[in-house]
Structure formats: C-alpha cells, structure tokens
Amino acid sequence: MFRTKTLREIFEKTNGHCHFCGDIVVFECYGVKDVTKEAGVWEADHVIQKGKGGSKTAENCLPACFRCNRLRWHRSGSEVRELISLGIVVKSEIKKNTETGKKILALNEKRLAQNLIRRRTLGS
C-alpha cells in the first residue's frame, strides 16, 4: 500500500486525471472497493508492470481510473491503444448496423455466455 505522500505525488502527475482516458479522478477515492458507488475511483497504474520487473515507486506509477486500469491489466501501452482503436471501429460498425457489426455483436454474446458458464462452474 502506498503512503499518502506517495499517492499525492502520483495523483499530481496528471493534475487529477486518468492518464489513459483523461477522466477526472478524485484523490480521496483511491482504491475504493465499491466502484459502482463512486465517481472518480482510481488506482496507481504501474507503467512497467510489476510482473515485468517494474517497481512499486511513484516514479513508475501514474493515476488511472478503475476501468482503464482494469482494461490495461497486463497489456502494454501500444496494446491498449490498439484495443481502443479497434473498439472505435467496432462501435462504428455496430452503429451502422453492418453485417460485420452484427457478427461482432453475436460473437460478444457468445463470449458473455461462455463467461457466465465458466463462472458458474468455478463457483460450484
């Protein structure tokens, strides 16, 4: 866990914004567990992930909203940018109701159903 001084140093690097999406994060909402209740929930994103040898110091961390940090997970910055870029293309295809968009929606429904089955199996 970070000390308050270290958290403040991380937070101030982006003037209270997620370094991925730019949304406002609230200093007091660091690490809030119930993310559905709070706007501005954030975490310290390790620029070089701990699993890849990155340190748990302020120099290696930037503020990230909960959603962006969880989206990043183990991905590199370039992988996150590619994911976002592809997401924009996908959203456009869905909005235009193209065949590609319809296929993507069907694939997503299939994936969600598989996840539900997996979770039920793990919960047994």
Side-chain angles (χ1 to χ4, degrees):
M1 193 53 113
F2 291 103
R3 296 186 335 253
T4 302
K5 181 181 174 187
T6 304
L7 283 176
R8 179 64 66 185
E9 185 179 341
I10 294 167
F11 181 83
E12 290 178 357
K13 287 182 180 184
T14 62
N15 297 315
H17 291 83
C18 171
H19 81 100
F20 288 111
C21 69
D23 282 357
I24 293 173
V25 294
V26 177
F27 183 77
E28 293 77 15
C29 291
Y30 173 78
V32 171
K33 299 295 181 210
D34 186 357
V35 296
T36 63
K37 302 284 186 210
E38 295 279 350
V41 174
W42 68 286
E43 300 172 328
D45 173 50
H46 295 80
V47 177
I48 300 171
Q49 293 99 331
K50 292 184 290 185
K52 294 181 180 177
S55 65
K56 192 177 178 179
T57 62
E59 293 78 27
N60 186 45
C61 293
L62 289 168
C65 70
F66 174 82
R67 288 181 185 218
C68 285
N69 200 39
R70 297 306 164 106
L71 173 68
R72 178 169 183 219
W73 190 37
H74 65 281
R75 296 172 179 94
S76 68
S78 62
E79 289 171 322
V80 171
R81 285 187 293 280
E82 179 184 30
L83 188 60
I84 292 168
S85 178
L86 289 170
I88 292 168
V89 171
V90 166
K91 284 293 271 185
S92 176
E93 292 298 308
I94 291 170
K95 187 176 181 178
K96 290 188 249 177
N97 203 29
T98 65
E99 287 304 312
T100 300
K102 291 174 187 175
K103 288 177 185 176
I104 291 169
L105 284 174
L107 287 170
N108 189 53
E109 288 298 320
K110 181 179 176 183
R111 179 179 176 270
L112 292 173
Q114 289 170 336
N115 285 348
L116 187 59
I117 291 167
R118 182 178 46 83
R119 286 186 191 116
R120 285 184 183 152
T121 304
L122 292 174
S124 302

